[in-house]
Every structure is written in structure tokens, then in C-alpha cells.
Amino acid sequence: MQLGFPPTTPDLHSNIQRRSKSRFVGFVFLGGLEGAKASDLKSEISIFLILGDFSIMPTSWADSVANSAESGASNSGVSRPTRSSYVPPHLRNRPPSSDPPVAASSAPAPDNNRPGYGGAAPGGSRWGGPIRELGRSGFGGGGRGGGGGGGWNNRTGGWDRGREWEANPFEKDEKDEIEEQALGEQENTGINFDAYEDIPVETSGDNVPPPVNTFADIDLGDALNKNIQRCKYVKPTPVQRHTIPISLAGRDLMACAQTGSGKTAAFCFPIISGIMKGQVAQRPRGPRTVYPLALILSPTRELSCQIHEEARKFAYQTGVKVVVAYGGAPINQQLRELERGVDILVATPGRLVDLLERARVSLQMVRYLALDEADRMLDMGFEPQIRRIVEQMDMPPRGVRQTMLFSATFPKEIQRLASDFLSNYIFLAVGRVGSSTDLIVQRVEYVNESDKRSHLMDLLHAQRANGTHGKQSLTLVFVETKKGADSLEHWLCLNGFPATTIHGDRTQQEREQALRSFKSGITPILVATDVAARGLDIPHVAHVINFDLPNDIDDYVHRIGRTGRAGKTGLATAFFNENNSSLARSLADLMGEANQEVPAWLARYAARPSYGGGRNRRSGGGRFGGRDFRRDSTFGRGGSGGVDYYGRGNSGGGFTTSSGGYGGGYGPGVVSAWD
DNA sequence: AAAAAAC
């Protein structure tokens, strides 16, 4: 293997194959564009208003299309049922009739295999089927269809004209250039893409759509393709290659893929594309209630913000409106944003429940549901809230909506819970170049509780002496408790190390300020609780220190995944002592599989029968870090050989393991959108 | 046991 990885990595392929649980730790999916700034969005909006030729103020793409499409058929152009109504897909796109609105809950629940829906057509989107052609020629999607008529071509044409004078929206401005200067070349050269051939992929489920090799192979629509170009994504990442066709085919999905593998784009592209091409349903219009078509949930506010920013770039000039809602911030501003129209709502659970209770948001029209960090969303703390949102509000049931779950780690118990939300889903596990194995050097040191601070000080002094301290080498220190975070931050500052902290006891303003201050290098040390463990994309984190180790090995995986990103190497140091003995075995196993040096004392700990057991013990089986629990006989209906389908009443069964799929055609030397 | 997530 001629990878540019540390010499300790003998064979990436076999290495990944030996991995037995779902954990991939890797590098950043740097948007490549910090663009689509507020000013651009403003210009989008204003152009929209100028060119929008509608009888009422359009609030979003789909609303607008609906209005424009129905303006002839409907007497008032817009029907405003006082009561919100859910129109089942098979009744949509018909001239408005006097039929009473059908409530979601009472809608004839198609069986979960959704036979009659658009998705039944092979390869067709569940929602997009019949209208797709119309959508392309009539609505233009950016003018590919030539000069077809219709208001949308006018609008698109207008935007195209606008682009002559409008600055390239995704071009970095000077500030961004400076910020990203250091990344520059390294971003694109840190990865050997030939190694794509070695990325293992495992899928299971019925009729898994084959992966695509290029974005051009997928009909995402011109506007989205343009944004992909603006993002300088040349080639889909492995998770995108597999996820996008699955998603476009209307299938539910449980995907095991590292944050930073292009996951956000993997679920955003199909959603945006689907909304643009999908059937244009008349959304009900409560005076204050909005009806998003897609819902993306994530476990922390900062992660929701990050997803929102990313999604907004992808949706640029598509007319698809993305809004974020999370707690800790004034709700009024978020309400105003919502009132201006929302197609995709990105939210944290608490605030969403609030909005639902206030009836400011209804989930009746949700076609797409995506859970990021899905295993966290379904763990003990979150599960009731998520169930409430997904099962007990007005969201269409599984099988009617399309559901996609993503995480880097997917314990089997959580998979079982998650299957409640899914219908005949496909399980996807994508290994990757740049797992923890390759880019992150993991160290474990035995440090007694009372010695932790002085030991930390030693590390920091060494870093400072190394020059690995400051703007381009940030240090992220994880602690167990919020109090501990505050006191460690204080102590660091006292000792001459500019630090800040992020945890749930701080105000949202303080949290965001801390993150900014850390990212910019003003305080190159961030002391964090697990609030910062997942998903956050912070460039230049050179060192993750587990001052307090987590109790769960999966959390460890997520934490150290904050470094070793963007194709750079990273260092992860853990302070281990007697208190962490329950983690010993899983930690030793993980490190061993990652070809990390396992200290003899840790190996001895791990070998002690009383330690390392329990829930942290790793169940063998998965080669890639994720394995479909339906294939595990202990979770199935009993069958033998582990090939049993946990179907929950779904017909069909069996598996298609298309692991050969990764041979499916990564051309040699391809350039990818990986970073 | 702690963390996260609404007011």
C-alpha cells in the first residue's frame, strides 16, 4: 500500500476489515466554500422578490410552484383552509376539490411497502415519480430543458442573467482566503484517492440500488449540480456514491459513516433534489403554522447550526428554503425565519417540540426525515423526545415519509430501536480512507486523578516548545463534567494558557462565542464536555486530550474524530486510571485494531476478566465498523447462521451484500470531493 | 453518573 500514512499502518484494507464495530474516524468534509454568505442570501431573496410573479408572496420554492401551478385552476390562487390538511400523495396534484382535507393520522395508511407511491417505480423517487418530467421541462430546473415556458423558467432565466453581474456566490472572499490559507494545498493532497479501491462497503436489504461513480450519473437537477460545482466537489465520496442513489430511489436508510465523510451532503443532496423535483403539493396554510417538507434532527445546537450552514450552501438558488431552530436562542427570530417559509427544517429536539406545541410548525407534510448522529438521538436521554416527534405528532408514518439515519457508530441495541422508524430499509456501512487508523495517533497514559492537571500542563508546555500551539494547532480537551470544564478552563488561564470552554451550563451565546474564539485561535485551547464530541467540524484541531475518558467507547471514537481531519494527521491523548477500568478492554481492542501502540499496562488491564466486560465489550462480526443488526441471529427471529431478517412485518427479507460494490469503479486517480 | 435538549 503506497499510502502516505504513518509507517505503522501495514495494510489498510485488512485493517479495516478487522474492525468489528462501527467507528470511523477521519477527516473533515470541508465545505470547500465558506460562501453563500448572508449578503448572498439576501441578494437571492431580493432577486426572488423582484422576479417573483405571483399572486401572493411566495414563501418557498414549493409553495411558489404550487401557487403558480394552481393559479389557473383555483379561484383564489391559494386555498387557505382554516384547518391544516394533509393531502395523501396519491391525491396530490389534482385540481382542488371539495373533498374534505384528510388528516395525516386518519390517512389511509398504505402498507409499509408503499406500493402505490411514486417510489414503487424502480429508481424513481417516492415523491417525485410522475411529476418528474414536468418538473424538468416545465420548471426548468435551471434551463436545461431549453426555453420551455412557465413562470419558473422566467425566474431561473432571471437568476442566470443576474449572475452576470452578481459575484460568484461561492467564491471565497478575502477574509476566507486568509483564514484558509494554511489549509490551501494540503487539503487536496493529503489523501491518496487510489486507496478508494480499498474502501469496504457493506449493504444489506432488499434490492439495493447500485452506487454511482460521478455526480453526473445522478440526476440531481441543474441548480444543485451548479452548487456541487461551486463546492468544487468533483467526485462523490463513497458514502455519497451509495447513499444518493438509495435515497433517490425513495428507500429508507440506516447509514454507518464517519462524520466528515461527506455525510451531510449525502442526505442533503437527495432531499433538496427531491423537493425541487417532487410533486408539488399544496401545502396547507395556517395563519401561523408552517409545514416543512423535510426535517433534519441533530443532538446539539452547534451541530444543527453547522448542518444548516452546509445545507444552505447546497440549496443556494434552488429556491429550497432551509431554516434552523434550536434552543438557547431567542425564539422570535426563529419564528420570523419560519414564517418566511421553510422547506427543510434543521432542528434540535427540544426547540422543535416547543414549536410543535405552539402549533407554529406542523410535520404533516414531512416527506424526508433525517437523523444525524442517530445513535445519540436514540439513546436513553433522547429517545422519548424523538419518539414523540416522530411517532406521536403529526408526521406521516414510516413508509409514507422517507427516513434516513446516519451515524459513525451504531450499536446493535440502537439499531433495533431505530428500526421502529424505518420501513424496509437498507443498511449501509462505508469504511473509509482516513479512519482513525491512519490519521490519528492515539496515546494512552496512566495518570492518577490528582496528577491530571500537572500532566496536562506538561503536555501543553511541550506543545508550546514544539511550536504546536496556536492558531493552526488547536487543542481540544474533553472532561466529564460541566463544573470540571469551568474549573479546568479557569486553571489553564491562570497558568498562562488561553483557554475557553463549551458545555451545557453556558449560555448559547457563550457557547457560540467559545467556539468562534477557539476556531479563530484566540483561545487555542477548548475545554469541552461531550457537547462538542460529535459532528462538529473544527479545522486545525491538532490534539484531542481525553482529560477524563468517557464511559462509552463510542464516545471516545467520536471525540478523537475531532482531530485528524482534512487529511491532516492528529494526535489523541487519553489520561487513563483506575476509574476508567471498564473502558480498558474496548479501548485496548480499538487501539489494537487501529495499529496503535497498546501500552503493556493497558493490555494487562484489558486482560483482567473483571474489567472490560459489560456493554463496552465489543461484539465481533462487523468488518467495517457497522453491521446490520438484522444479520445477527440474536436479534432476529431465531433463524440460523445469522442470516435472518428482522422484518417487523415487512414482507421480503434476505440480504444483498454488495460488498463487491466497491470494486464497482473507482477509476484510478480520481479526484474526489472528499474534503 | 453525566451530558444533551425548551421556556
Side-chain angles (χ1 to χ4, degrees):
Chain A
M1 278 275 184
Q2 52 291 65
L3 304 180
F5 296 126
T8 49
T9 306
D11 183 309
L12 176 59
H13 189 52
S14 67
N15 183 21
I16 291 178
Q17 300 243 335
R18 280 191 292 108
R19 303 169 70 80
S20 66
K21 256 194 106 187
S22 42
R23 52 184 70 88
F24 297 102
V25 176
F27 36 84
V28 163
F29 179 61
L30 274 177
L33 61 144
E34 301 299 317
K37 304 186 184 46
S39 56
D40 298 319
L41 293 172
K42 272 186 206 130
S43 72
E44 171 187 352
I45 289 159
S46 53
I47 291 169
F48 184 83
L49 295 181
I50 291 164
L51 298 173
D53 179 21
F54 309 109
S55 51
I56 64 146
M57 186 74 72
T59 52
S60 72
W61 192 91
D63 282 346
S64 308
V65 176
N67 296 337
S68 122
E70 296 207 5
S71 57
S74 163
N75 48 1
S76 66
V78 175
S79 60
R80 275 183 183 269
T82 48
R83 195 71 192 104
S84 45
S85 61
Y86 171 71
V87 184
H90 64 287
L91 294 178
R92 288 179 197 164
N93 219 29
R94 294 184 176 179
S97 71
S98 54
D99 292 342
V102 185
S105 49
S106 61
D111 63 88
N112 278 341
N113 292 323
R114 68 184 81 87
Y117 289 67
S125 159
R126 186 184 301 176
W127 299 90
I131 201 83
R132 187 177 275 185
E133 275 182 44
L134 174 63
R136 192 174 313 158
S137 59
F139 297 153
R144 183 205 304 216
W152 284 99
N153 268 332
N154 292 341
R155 178 189 143 201
T156 309
W159 278 1
D160 284 335
R161 282 198 304 279
R163 243 172 252 135
E164 288 166 17
W165 48 264
E166 187 185 338
N168 177 353
F170 286 21
E171 206 162 47
K172 292 169 185 169
D173 66 19
E174 216 173 338
K175 180 168 157 282
D176 290 327
E177 287 294 355
I178 292 167
E179 275 174 11
E180 298 186 9
Q181 226 163 21
L183 282 170
E185 297 288 298
Q186 305 163 30
E187 259 176 57
N188 296 321
T189 56
I191 303 155
N192 181 343
F193 289 105
D194 292 343
Y196 262 27
E197 284 167 35
D198 292 312
I199 294 172
V201 173
E202 184 172 305
T203 55
S204 49
D206 294 336
N207 301 317
V208 180
V212 292
N213 294 313
T214 67
F215 287 121
D217 292 348
I218 325 162
D219 183 24
L220 288 170
D222 284 356
L224 191 48
N225 281 336
K226 214 158 230 147
N227 288 336
I228 292 171
Q229 284 168 23
R230 286 176 177 132
C231 293
K232 302 185 177 60
Y233 300 162
V234 180
K235 187 95 179 157
T237 67
V239 67
Q240 291 163 3
R241 292 182 59 227
H242 288 80
T243 296
I244 293 173
I246 290 170
S247 180
L248 289 178
R251 299 292 300 276
D252 281 0
L253 173 70
M254 180 186 293
C256 238
Q258 172 62 30
T259 304
S261 58
K263 193 160 54 82
T264 309
F267 61 74
C268 283
F269 289 173
I271 290 176
I272 293 169
S273 170
I275 288 174
M276 291 175 68
K277 290 182 192 171
Q279 279 194 356
V280 176
Q282 177 69 58
R283 269 186 273 183
R285 291 171 172 278
R288 288 147 58 94
T289 312
V290 293
Y291 298 81
L293 302 175
L295 177 63
I296 301 173
L297 292 174
S298 96
T300 67
R301 298 163 181 174
E302 286 77 12
L303 188 51
S304 279
C305 285
Q306 184 178 299
I307 295 167
H308 171 244
E309 281 165 28
E310 197 94 338
R312 225 176 38 166
K313 292 167 192 167
F314 301 146
Y316 182 75
Q317 287 192 340
T318 60
V320 174
K321 191 122 197 307
V322 190
V323 176
V324 68
Y326 55 90
I331 200 169
N332 283 332
Q333 200 180 327
Q334 291 173 8
L335 286 174
R336 274 197 299 276
E337 278 300 313
L338 286 169
E339 277 172 2
R340 297 173 65 179
V342 52
D343 296 303
I344 301 175
L345 177 60
V346 185
T348 49
R351 177 55 60 91
L352 178 61
V353 167
D354 190 5
L355 292 168
L356 291 168
E357 280 173 352
R358 297 178 187 220
R360 298 303 294 261
V361 171
S362 160
L363 301 178
Q364 279 180 43
M365 302 301 286
V366 166
R367 303 171 178 180
Y368 306 94
L369 169 66
L371 301 192
D372 203 4
E373 308 295 346
D375 60 330
R376 166 62 80 234
M377 302 300 278
L378 293 171
D379 79 3
M380 286 204 315
F382 270 120
E383 192 208 341
Q385 230 171 350
I386 300 301
R387 279 197 189 277
R388 185 154 173 228
I389 292 168
V390 177
E391 295 178 329
Q392 290 156 31
M393 307 304 281
D394 53 354
M395 191 186 300
R398 63 175 174 166
V400 176
R401 62 165 195 265
Q402 186 176 348
T403 309
M404 294 178 277
L405 311 183
F406 285 82
S407 183
T409 53
F410 245 124
K412 290 208 185 331
E413 319 84 71
I414 304 283
Q415 287 191 38
R416 195 150 46 85
L417 288 180
S419 66
D420 286 351
F421 300 147
L422 298 164
S423 171
N424 189 23
Y425 65 95
I426 291 168
F427 179 90
L428 168 70
V430 184
R432 53 182 311 215
V433 182
S435 65
S436 56
T437 308
D438 314 296
L439 292 166
I440 303 172
V441 174
Q442 299 174 57
R443 284 194 321 214
V444 187
E445 290 163 5
Y446 196 95
V447 185
N448 281 316
E449 213 59 43
S450 55
D451 300 331
K452 279 184 173 178
R453 284 189 175 183
S454 63
H455 198 81
L456 177 61
M457 195 52 60
D458 291 346
L459 291 181
L460 294 177
H461 276 297
Q463 277 182 201
R464 189 175 268 177
N466 271 343
T468 49
H469 174 78
K471 233 182 147 104
Q472 301 303 324
S473 331
L474 307 176
T475 301
L476 180 52
V477 183
F478 281 104
V479 297
E480 192 64 15
T481 66
K482 294 176 279 197
K483 273 186 167 28
D486 277 335
S487 95
L488 185 59
E489 176 223 17
H490 183 66
W491 184 81
L492 285 169
C493 289
L494 280 183
N495 284 273
F497 284 96
T500 184
T501 182
I502 184 167
H503 59 70
D505 271 357
R506 304 201 80 194
T507 67
Q508 191 55 27
Q509 223 174 3
E510 288 170 331
R511 284 165 59 159
E512 284 168 21
Q513 167 63 26
L515 210 49
R516 273 196 302 273
S517 164
F518 181 56
K519 282 184 174 176
S520 67
I522 295 170
T523 51
I525 299 171
L526 178 67
V527 183
T529 59
D530 268 329
V531 70
R534 285 173 173 257
L536 290 190
D537 187 19
I538 309 169
H540 312 308
V541 173
H543 196 179
V544 169
I545 299 175
N546 275 290
F547 188 88
D548 301 319
L549 271 164
N551 293 314
D552 189 320
I553 191 68
D554 285 341
D555 290 333
Y556 173 84
V557 171
H558 286 275
R559 285 180 179 186
I560 68 173
R562 300 312 103 211
T563 186
R565 296 169 81 88
K568 293 173 151 187
T569 56
L571 176 63
T573 304
F575 296 175
F576 183 101
N577 62 39
E578 199 70 32
N579 298 333
N580 311 112
S581 50
S582 69
L583 197 69
R585 183 171 299 171
S586 48
L587 183 58
D589 287 353
L590 177 75
M591 291 178 67
E593 288 167 12
N595 290 312
Q596 304 287 326
E597 198 175 323
V598 181
W601 59 262
L602 181 61
R604 282 199 298 276
Y605 252 99
R608 282 154 74 168
S610 50
Y611 292 144
R615 60 198 269 280
N616 276 332
R617 209 175 50 151
R618 324 183 52 187
S619 54
R623 287 182 297 163
F624 312 121
R627 185 176 170 88
D628 191 344
F629 88 106
R630 294 175 298 187
R631 305 188 72 169
D632 186 334
S633 59
T634 60
F635 285 90
R637 286 193 296 246
S640 60
V643 187
D644 192 23
Y645 188 80
Y646 190 88
R648 300 192 65 89
N650 286 325
S651 66
F655 300 92
T656 315
T657 298
S658 69
S659 46
Y662 61 84
Y666 293 106
V670 292
V671 180
S672 166
W674 196 292
D675 56 342

